[in-house]
Amino acid sequence: MAPVVVTAVWLTTSPVLAHHSRAEFASGSEVVLQGTVTRFDWTNPHVYIHVAAEEAGKRVEWEVVADAVPILARSGWTARSLAPGDFIRVRAIPNRSRQNRRVLLVSVTTAAGVTLAPRRSADERRPVAKATDLSGTWELPGGDDTGDFSKRW
């Protein structure tokens, strides 16, 4: 019976662990996209920004993967920070597969010159209260924006 339980637990948790991996993105690289927001999904576990851009005379759609709503909200974002039709400039970590038009958000700059980014500085990560349980928003020390955790632990 125990092997069945272990196997069941492993099968149900493996996709979750894979989902939170940043392995699909090329840490240490950065791309810049410019285009128009076609969709802004203010959802958990990730906020998504869909951007239409011109490449070689063709319209292409990019999916920008951002952090969760609570992380972006404490960084100054709201559900109205972006809207379809907004022209934006996106700094992002590219997908390892260059054919995949899915990137990981570093920052967004609007046409008005407002730059939005998840907070990542050490000063902003100081605990404000001692934890008494495991509820709340958890992040890795130093952020988790590069996917290369070997240098952080």
Side-chain angles (χ1 to χ4, degrees):
M1 182 67 136
V4 172
V5 172
V6 170
T7 302
V9 169
W10 179 79
L11 287 173
T12 59
T13 59
S14 292
V16 173
L17 295 174
H19 168 80
H20 283 102
S21 170
R22 304 278 174 130
E24 77 175 281
F25 301 105
S27 64
S29 298
E30 193 172 289
V31 294
V32 176
L33 311 171
Q34 293 188 125
T36 305
V37 175
T38 59
R39 206 168 89 208
F40 181 51
D41 297 332
W42 186 252
T43 58
N44 280 316
H46 297 280
V47 171
Y48 293 94
I49 307 164
H50 296 266
V51 180
E54 287 285 323
E55 289 182 13
K58 295 182 180 177
R59 181 180 187 263
V60 294
E61 186 90 13
W62 287 86
E63 180 180 61
V64 181
V65 181
D67 288 288
V69 168
I71 294 167
L72 295 182
R74 77 168 176 253
S75 301
W77 295 59
T78 71
R80 294 185 180 160
S81 290
L82 299 172
D86 289 351
F87 184 81
I88 59 173
R89 181 176 180 265
V90 178
R91 287 180 44 233
I93 299 170
N95 200 288
R96 289 186 189 279
S97 168
R98 296 294 177 162
Q99 287 75 33
N100 189 328
R101 298 195 190 288
R102 178 179 161 103
V103 296
L104 183 63
L105 177 73
V106 173
S107 69
V108 171
T109 302
T110 67
V114 175
T115 298
L116 300 165
R119 293 192 320 195
R120 296 285 181 215
S121 78
D123 287 344
E124 292 166 339
R125 293 193 169 285
R126 281 191 315 248
V128 293
K130 184 178 177 181
T132 58
D133 60 37
L134 294 176
S135 64
T137 303
W138 290 82
E139 291 186 56
L140 295 173
D144 59 354
D145 57 338
T146 67
D148 183 5
F149 302 120
S150 62
K151 297 176 183 151
R152 299 178 186 206
W153 294 88

